[in-house]
Amino acid sequence: MIGIFVFGLALGLATALETKHHSIEDAASGVVSVATTQSTATTWQPAVNSSWQIVLQNPISLSSSAKSVTPDVEIFDIDVFTNSNSTIETLHRLGKKVICYFSAGSYEPGRPDSSQFHKSDLGKELDGWPGEYWLNLSSTNVRTIMANRIQLAAEKGCDAIDPDNVDGYNNDNGLDLTQNDSISFLNFVSTTATSYNLSTGLKNAGDLIAAVLPLVHFSVNEQCVQYSECTTFAPFIKAGKPVFHIEYPDAAPGQLSDSKVQKYCADQGDAEGSEGFSTVLKDMDLDGWVEYCSGQVETTPLEMS
């Protein structure tokens, strides 16, 4: 019996040392070890056809005593930095799920952690977004900053993350980024998020779907109808994972014509392959205005800066 006890003690100690060893190695490589941080809670898997609203221009205005929120949808996608813990708590109290947005693949000036990026982390400026630069997705410093952003999302009570600009490979990025760089980065982001029981979305980047579909829980797609590429994102629906789909009609915001709505909401023509997508029609500013395929038009109140 003493021999068995000593053997068990030694085995447990060896296992603990091995776990610690791997944790140190993972930290050095910029990868968060799921084995040492993941809890037993279930990661949220949003359902296909879930209703949603996305607001990124300003924080949404929502009293902690609010009895409802506009629109009355299941999911809100909001900025992780500008929205308060209280807002997210209130959304949860009202029965809503919260996806928290941040740019994972680009530097944005004016974010609370912007000063933490190194000059060597930055590539070329994003076309059309002055002051925003592509990031070196393999940089240990970049990954540390993103891990901290994911931790912030968890601390604020978010249910999922919407990491933007992971498709630098498809742009003039100045860093020679490849699809493999994005796949490795998404593996890191998803693993880190899962360690906090946060779901992860794939933002656009249709070229990566075959490689990363097992790693992510939903798609956030922009303009697949405009570019006639909705069939690219259909594998999410087949896998039982939603596609949160955004189109930016020229006439938005405002009541759109039936023909305009039909263009973006039909399952044929340019919208072929979009069956089951959760489609919203938005202004490019991603403010509070939204129109749905039903013709319903709503405006989420915002805090003005």
Side-chain angles (χ1 to χ4, degrees):
M1 291 295 293
I2 294 174
I4 292 172
F5 173 77
V6 171
F7 173 75
L9 180 63
L11 180 61
L13 179 60
T15 301
L17 289 173
E18 181 69 11
T19 299
K20 181 179 180 182
H21 175 67
H22 282 304
S23 298
I24 293 171
E25 287 183 336
D26 289 345
S29 64
V31 176
V32 174
S33 172
V34 178
T36 59
T37 58
Q38 187 174 11
S39 76
T40 57
T42 302
T43 302
W44 171 54
Q45 174 57 65
V48 171
N49 281 320
S50 295
S51 58
W52 76 304
Q53 159 73 312
I54 180 168
V55 178
L56 302 182
Q57 184 186 62
N58 291 90
I60 66 176
S61 178
L62 188 65
S63 165
S64 59
S65 60
K67 296 182 179 180
S68 63
V69 61
T70 302
D72 185 17
V73 292
E74 297 167 283
I75 300 165
F76 279 79
D77 189 336
I78 58 178
D79 188 276
V80 70
F81 288 114
T82 61
N83 288 276
S84 67
N85 298 48
S86 174
T87 292
I88 294 170
E89 289 172 3
T90 301
L91 287 169
H92 283 157
R93 179 175 59 77
L94 296 173
K96 314 306 179 186
K97 292 289 189 179
V98 180
I99 299 172
C100 287
Y101 168 95
F102 60 89
S103 185
S106 72
Y107 164 88
E108 299 171 292
R111 292 301 196 177
D113 56 6
S114 293
S115 63
Q116 297 175 20
F117 291 96
H118 300 157
K119 187 175 181 179
S120 59
D121 294 331
L122 310 184
K124 287 188 175 181
E125 196 171 47
L126 273 67
D127 186 26
W129 297 94
E132 191 168 347
Y133 296 86
W134 294 107
L135 289 173
N136 179 0
L137 303 182
S138 299
S139 162
T140 299
N141 185 53
V142 168
R143 293 190 177 202
T144 298
I145 293 169
M146 295 309 152
N148 290 337
R149 289 183 176 187
I150 294 168
Q151 181 178 353
L152 174 65
E155 290 172 349
K156 284 196 166 186
C158 308
D159 300 290
I161 57 170
D162 174 10
D164 200 3
N165 294 313
V166 296
D167 57 351
Y169 65 87
N170 206 25
N171 295 269
D172 183 16
N173 59 74
L175 295 162
D176 296 323
L177 295 174
T178 67
Q179 288 189 21
N180 285 337
D181 291 325
S182 287
I183 292 168
S184 171
F185 183 66
L186 281 164
N187 184 49
F188 160 75
V189 168
S190 176
T191 299
T192 306
T194 302
S195 74
Y196 292 103
N197 296 303
L198 296 174
S199 306
T200 300
L202 175 66
K203 188 65 160 283
N204 299 317
D207 305 313
L208 306 183
I209 293 174
V212 304
L213 185 57
L215 302 174
V216 296
H217 302 83
F218 56 92
S219 164
V220 179
N221 167 259
E222 296 173 291
Q223 299 165 284
C224 74
V225 174
Q226 180 174 334
Y227 297 113
S228 302
E229 58 184 19
C230 294
T231 54
T232 300
F233 299 89
F236 274 92
I237 303 299
K238 294 178 182 177
K241 301 177 179 182
V243 176
F244 297 117
H245 169 219
I246 311 165
E247 293 288 340
Y248 303 109
D250 293 338
Q255 187 77 40
L256 304 177
S257 66
D258 291 343
S259 61
K260 183 73 75 172
V261 173
Q262 184 68 10
K263 173 185 176 181
Y264 295 115
C265 295
D267 298 332
Q268 55 191 352
D270 291 339
E272 183 179 357
S274 64
E275 295 90 345
F277 287 15
S278 298
T279 298
V280 293
L281 308 178
K282 297 283 296 186
D283 182 275
M284 268 286 194
D285 290 335
L286 289 170
D287 55 18
W289 180 88
V290 62
E291 182 164 350
Y292 295 95
C293 290
S294 64
Q296 175 187 0
V297 178
E298 301 281 5
T299 301
T300 302
L302 305 182
E303 295 180 8
M304 294 298 120
S305 56

